[in-house]
Amino acid sequence: MKNITKSLLMITAVAALAIGGTVAYFSDTETSTGNTFTAGTIDIAIDGTNPWTKSYTVGDLKPGETGYINFDISNVGANPVNVLKTLTSIAGTGGAETYVCNRVVPNANYSASSEPECVEENGTAKDDVASQIIYDLSVEVYNSAGAKIWWQSIYTDADDMKLTDVYGPDGGNYVALGMIPVGGHMKVTQSYHFSEDAGNEYQGDKLSFDITIKGDQLTQENGYAQAVLENKTGPSAWDVIQDDIKGTLSYKTNGSGFEYSFTGKAPLNDHGYVLAVGYDANTDVDKQIGTGTTDSSGSITISGNVNTGDLTNAKAWLVPTENWVGGTINWNGWPASASNFLWETGLINYDQN
Ligand SMILES: [Ca+2]
Ligand SMILES: [Ca+2]
Ligand SMILES: [Ca+2]
Ligand SMILES: [Ca+2]
């Protein structure tokens, strides 16, 4: 009882002090009003349609022939976009089937497109026509003024990639096409070659698929944008070489310095490299942002935070040290030396505050 009374007295005393503690100081207050946060927009249109509803038909191809599905992707949003493409719902069917196979193959109780198809299939339908289509893909990027600023070949005939190699047996694998600046557009050229090796079992067969184009903001989950650097065949095809030699540049799209890390596998082992970026897609990279040396298997990691100034529609290259002399590109050994570099597969943007 005694203790409780004491506590109450103390609380009363403290409260009295707080109430009585008003003291004058000089002060000044500034207020900024009318501040806003506005979310940006990401939006693409294809062949001038938004949403994209067009369907494409490539018909009556014979082995060795090529069909084309080309379109143009516009960036109609307020931010640069990284564009990716996939095919889904890839399905092969027998096509129009009016020839009754048991006329030529006893007990083949189904119809096919032709008598030779029945004979070749010999009682078991084989309609996986996606496995017989060799796929080429290249892109050209134009800025908002309509100038062609960048292009690349992702798959050519020489790569001999089947549709199913590129997008997976059932589709769904995404292929990165590159970056489209605000107000710019990308021409996508695709050819579908019916393999010369396709036999009679594919007569009249039909392939159907859905095409999905995705436009992503540059900055992803962890606050970093990513750009893949690849070895390429060099002039003039500049075809991406589909092997394990490549690297990923992760970078912050804005900041007080260009904050990045690069990791990958370069063409030359136990070799010095310079990581460099360039302001303008029409000129060579002109800013060294880091250096490193590959190990005996070509692996290399470089990171840093450097003052580059703004980078608009810029490239990033991994350059062998002998091709970087006096702080600039030196074309020693060109064009053979092209195979020693890693090259951009999309442009990058960075705002320095
Ligand atoms: Ca859209
Ligand atoms: Ca057929
Ligand atoms: Ca067939
Ligand atoms: Ca590669």
Side-chain angles (χ1 to χ4, degrees):
M1 194 62 194
K2 200 178 170 192
N3 284 343
I4 291 169
T5 310
K6 235 181 198 171
S7 302
L8 284 173
L9 281 172
M10 281 178 68
I11 290 164
T12 309
V14 170
L17 273 177
I19 291 162
T22 307
V23 180
Y25 292 109
F26 289 164
S27 72
D28 182 18
T29 304
E30 305 286 349
T31 305
S32 163
T33 61
N35 301 294
T36 58
F37 171 89
T38 308
T41 57
I42 296 284
D43 192 4
I44 54 173
I46 298 178
D47 287 342
T49 60
N50 194 3
W52 188 30
T53 51
K54 189 175 171 181
S55 296
Y56 302 84
T57 304
V58 181
D60 195 29
L61 286 190
K62 272 77 70 184
E65 293 183 344
T66 303
Y68 295 88
I69 297 181
N70 300 332
F71 46 79
D72 200 294
I73 307 169
S74 306
N75 182 356
V76 295
N79 291 276
V81 286
N82 278 329
V83 180
L84 303 106
K85 174 178 184 288
T86 192
L87 301 189
T88 54
S89 307
I90 296 178
T93 61
E97 298 174 310
T98 54
Y99 190 92
V100 179
C101 286
N102 64 17
R103 291 172 64 189
V104 286
V105 179
N107 302 320
N109 294 315
Y110 69 102
S111 296
S113 302
S114 66
E115 178 254 327
E117 186 179 17
C118 291
V119 170
E120 186 59 39
E121 292 185 347
N122 195 28
T124 306
K126 189 166 170 52
D127 305 330
D128 59 331
V129 68
S131 68
Q132 302 302 311
I133 294 176
I134 300 157
Y135 182 65
D136 288 6
L137 174 64
S138 62
V139 298
E140 294 177 353
V141 174
Y142 296 77
N143 66 14
S144 58
K148 180 171 157 180
I149 56 169
W150 186 76
W151 59 93
Q152 72 170 342
S153 297
I154 303 170
Y155 298 108
T156 66
D157 264 6
D159 294 319
D160 195 28
M161 293 289 275
K162 302 289 197 315
L163 209 54
T164 42
D165 297 331
V166 174
Y167 296 107
D170 304 314
N173 293 351
Y174 274 94
V175 173
L177 303 183
M179 186 262 264
I180 312 178
V182 176
H185 67 109
M186 173 188 279
K187 282 187 181 170
V188 180
T189 303
Q190 304 173 88
S191 59
Y192 297 75
H193 302 208
F194 200 5
S195 170
E196 287 166 19
D197 302 327
N200 280 336
E201 67 269 38
Y202 295 106
Q203 284 201 17
D205 288 0
K206 188 175 174 182
L207 176 70
S208 60
F209 51 85
D210 297 336
I211 307 173
T212 300
I213 305 291
K214 186 164 73 140
D216 275 345
Q217 65 177 65
L218 303 193
T219 309
Q220 293 294 308
E221 218 171 300
N222 55 4
Y224 285 82
Q226 294 201 326
V228 173
L229 277 58
E230 274 277 11
N231 52 339
K232 298 191 181 185
T233 55
S236 60
W238 292 107
D239 181 28
V240 172
I241 298 171
Q242 304 292 337
D243 58 10
D244 66 342
I245 297 176
K246 66 179 86 173
T248 302
L249 174 69
S250 294
Y251 66 99
K252 284 259 169 84
T253 52
N254 57 48
S256 55
F258 186 73
E259 185 188 335
Y260 74 92
S261 68
F262 175 82
T263 184
K265 190 164 148 65
L268 300 173
N269 301 338
D270 298 315
H271 201 90
Y273 274 96
V274 170
L275 186 61
V277 293
Y279 286 123
D280 185 322
N282 293 310
T283 58
D284 302 329
V285 295
D286 56 2
K287 292 260 178 202
Q288 173 177 325
I289 59 169
T291 59
T293 303
T294 55
D295 69 11
S296 58
S297 64
S299 295
I300 185 167
T301 300
I302 306 172
S303 60
N305 186 335
V306 291
N307 179 2
T308 56
D310 289 351
L311 298 169
T312 303
N313 302 338
K315 299 175 180 182
W317 296 350
L318 189 69
V319 183
T321 44
E322 65 273 22
N323 290 108
W324 188 264
V325 180
T328 187
I329 281 282
N330 179 299
W331 297 111
N332 278 329
W334 196 256
S337 56
S339 60
N340 300 333
F341 286 59
L342 290 184
W343 309 96
E344 85 287 354
T345 61
L347 302 175
I348 63 173
N349 263 23
Y350 163 70
D351 290 325
Q352 189 148 320
N353 344 112

